[in-house]
Amino acid sequence: MMKIRKMVTLWVLATLLYVTVSPPAMAQNTERDGTDATFPFGGFVSYMMPCTCSAPIQWFFMTPLLLGDAPIVGPLSFNPLKVLPFNGLFSGFNAMPGNWLLGRYMPGMQTCQIYAGTACIILPVLGDITAIGTSEKK
Amino acid sequence: MLYFKHLTMKKFFLKNSVRGAFFVAAFLFVFAMSGQAQVAMENSGTIFIKNLTLGSDNSDVATLKQVLNSNPLTSVQKSGLVEEKSTYFGPDTRRAVIKFQELYKETVLYPSGLTKGTGFVGPSTRAKLNELAKNLNLQQNFAVSDPVVSNTTESDSLIARLRALLGVGARVQVNMAENYQVSPQGTLVLAGSGFLPNQNTVHIDGKYLVSNVGSLTGTSLKVNLPKEISLGKHSVWVTNSNGSSRNPATEIYFVVTENPASNPVITSVSPDFAAQDEEIIIKGRSFTPSGNNLYTTLGNVTNISSSGGDTLRVNLSSFPVMAALASNPELKGTRYNVAMYVQNENGVSLKPFMFTIQIK
């Protein structure tokens, strides 16, 4: 009896949290018609900067950043509250400078804003990380 | 076993009718809220609120085609025997989207480090489409008098409170005063997000309140300054049913002055494809003799002097990211699109200036 009660309570709380949180998150991560709009990436984080106006998002500069055949360099944004290592595919979660990352990103998202003394400005990125793993264990 | 479980559940809900009622109420509340949240999003001043790609089939695609077909350079050209239905995003639409992205590459592609169109309608493409749709009068939801908009206030407030509690979702934010220096009794233009069509309250220093300020786009507010405001620097924030934009760590400021200067602007950066240890020359307007700060995707460099107010000189090696780029031999020959803003006592440049460097 207690078990069922706990299960029902947990289910209700989980649903409450999911439904409340999911509309904006879904709008950013996937298309409503079910098509995944994310792409794979790999790369080395050489520099990290907090997006002070859009905390807790971080700005990762990747050297190199591997999106296709040729290595490039460039920044991605990363929200540790939104990107969680739930999936075993993306294990060894430790997104910090000095580590190699493997994951998926959504191109075009501009979520990083930094404070520039009197105003908040968008710091352009190549995309927003939606799933992540690293070569290092925590 | 199933029957037993069923009985147990039934007993549970009978014995706990109050809790059962609470659960049902909670579900109804949550579902109502998620629906209202969608209404609020759709009324926030944008038509294209979701990404579109090959295979999408919905009414947004029809609107997308309307915008694309409004310009002969981006119109959807039929290539196959079968014509795409109006709500379907097929190969013809994708080709038109690529043309659109390349036509507006400065705002759609370059900020994302892209030079060629992808055919994927993501956030930057949607932003440009929304801007054009607004000019084409395709935005039925922009009107202040829209009855749906005026009905969302109470539920918005509940959503805002819950989301603020959880730290997620739509919220009001002020990014900058677009005219950083403004004359007394002038009009201050605030850029941000989450502004409502009406019932925004602008707070100045916590001393002055300007109520019921409207926003047609949800991203811009025009405020007539109170007559009694003093000369000097003031902080500003906005409250509405989406919450408060105030963050003490990132206060937004403007200056009231008799002789307002315009915000700094970068007009060129030379040379093209500068190397990691080269000096770059930044040309522009409204630079100050000292105290010019550069905010870039190479990191930030502060307190640069300007000769004549139109030139800044800085060596690329001064930027924090350059060391990591220069030390990696695998990156030789790599080009990187840099975005740069300049900030000084005249304000901050409204848009990033894009230029390209090359690792040698």
Side-chain angles (χ1 to χ4, degrees), chain A residues 1 4-6 8-9 11-13 15-33 35-39 44 46-47 49 52-56 59 61-65 67 71-75 81 100 105-110 113-127, chain B residues 8-9 11-13 15-16 19 23 26-27 30-31 33-34 38 41-42 49-58 111-114 120 123-124 126 162-163 166 168-169 171 173-176 180 233 247 249-253 295-300 320-321 324-325 328 330-331 334-336 339 341 343 347-349 352:
Chain A
M1 191 61 159
I4 291 172
R5 194 178 299 175
K6 274 183 188 171
V8 170
T9 309
W11 182 63
V12 168
L13 286 174
T15 311
L16 188 78
L17 190 66
Y18 175 77
V19 175
T20 309
V21 173
S22 61
M26 282 172 73
Q28 288 175 2
N29 286 334
T30 57
E31 294 184 41
R32 198 188 290 165
D33 60 11
T35 311
D36 188 352
T38 64
F39 298 91
F44 182 78
S46 63
Y47 187 80
M49 195 161 62
T52 39
C53 286
S54 51
W59 187 85
F61 196 78
M62 316 283 283
T63 56
L65 177 61
L67 306 177
I72 61 168
V73 292
L81 288 186
W100 286 87
Y105 78 109
M106 176 177 276
M109 297 293 293
Q110 298 300 338
Q113 290 189 21
I114 59 166
Y115 189 57
T118 57
C120 291
I121 52 175
I122 292 175
L123 198 62
V125 292
L126 294 169
Chain B
T8 315
M9 287 290 284
K11 273 183 191 172
F12 168 75
F13 277 108
K15 283 187 177 177
N16 297 278
R19 285 179 198 176
F23 292 144
F27 266 111
V30 165
F31 278 112
M33 265 199 358
S34 60
Q38 194 59 46
M41 273 183 75
E42 285 169 4
I49 59 170
K50 53 195 174 188
N51 299 328
L52 300 167
T53 192
L54 197 63
S56 298
D57 190 353
N58 54 50
S112 303
L114 299 168
F120 171 72
S124 53
R126 282 193 283 114
L162 189 51
R163 289 211 163 134
L166 294 168
V168 295
R171 60 184 181 191
Q173 183 172 350
V174 177
N175 293 342
M176 64 167 71
Y180 177 69
K233 192 173 178 181
N247 180 350
T250 57
E251 290 275 22
I252 307 302
Y253 292 101
Y295 292 87
T296 81
T297 47
L298 290 170
N300 308 329
V321 163
L325 282 174
N328 189 340
E330 288 176 18
L331 299 177
T334 307
R335 287 183 178 180
Y336 172 46
Y341 296 84
Q343 182 267 333
V348 62
S349 41

Side-chain angles (χ1 to χ4, degrees), chain A residues 88-111:
Chain A
L89 186 65
F90 302 101
S91 59
F93 183 78
N94 192 10
M96 294 293 285
N99 283 342
W100 286 87
L101 304 183
L102 187 66
R104 296 185 73 81
Y105 78 109
M106 176 177 276
M109 297 293 293
Q110 298 300 338
T111 56

Side-chain angles (χ1 to χ4, degrees), chain B residues 73-243:
Chain B
L73 294 173
T74 61
S75 60
V76 181
Q77 305 286 332
K78 191 181 124 182
S79 61
L81 292 172
V82 182
E83 194 165 328
E84 291 173 8
K85 66 174 181 171
S86 63
T87 59
Y88 184 70
F89 192 125
D92 296 346
T93 311
R94 185 173 179 272
R95 270 190 295 278
V97 168
I98 290 171
K99 282 190 279 182
F100 177 88
Q101 291 169 324
E102 292 178 354
L103 181 64
Y104 298 106
K105 57 191 173 193
E106 286 84 4
T107 50
V108 173
L109 299 177
Y110 289 171
S112 303
L114 299 168
T115 52
K116 291 192 171 180
T118 60
F120 171 72
V121 180
S124 53
T125 309
R126 282 193 283 114
K128 189 68 192 175
L129 286 165
N130 280 320
E131 184 188 321
L132 296 178
K134 190 179 148 194
N135 295 334
L136 291 168
N137 287 324
L138 294 176
Q139 76 293 12
Q140 291 85 359
N141 289 330
F142 274 68
V144 175
S145 57
D146 188 325
V148 180
V149 174
S150 59
N151 286 339
T152 59
T153 309
E154 279 302 310
S155 53
D156 280 355
S157 179
L158 286 171
I159 295 162
R161 280 179 208 165
L162 189 51
R163 289 211 163 134
L165 194 67
L166 294 168
V168 295
R171 60 184 181 191
V172 61
Q173 183 172 350
V174 177
N175 293 342
M176 64 167 71
E178 286 194 352
N179 49 347
Y180 177 69
Q181 293 193 6
V182 59
S183 56
Q185 297 181 42
T187 302
L188 182 69
V189 182
L190 299 176
S193 57
F195 303 143
L196 297 179
N198 45 34
Q199 295 183 337
N200 301 287
T201 301
V202 178
H203 302 249
I204 299 171
D205 292 337
K207 288 182 191 169
Y208 309 104
L209 294 183
V210 185
S211 304
N212 296 321
V213 184
S215 170
L216 290 178
T217 61
T219 56
S220 181
L221 271 186
K222 288 185 179 176
V223 192
N224 294 321
L225 292 180
K227 287 176 185 171
E228 58 272 26
I229 196 165
S230 58
L231 296 179
K233 192 173 178 181
H234 302 274
S235 62
V236 61
W237 67 93
V238 172
T239 55
N240 61 26
S241 57
N242 281 333

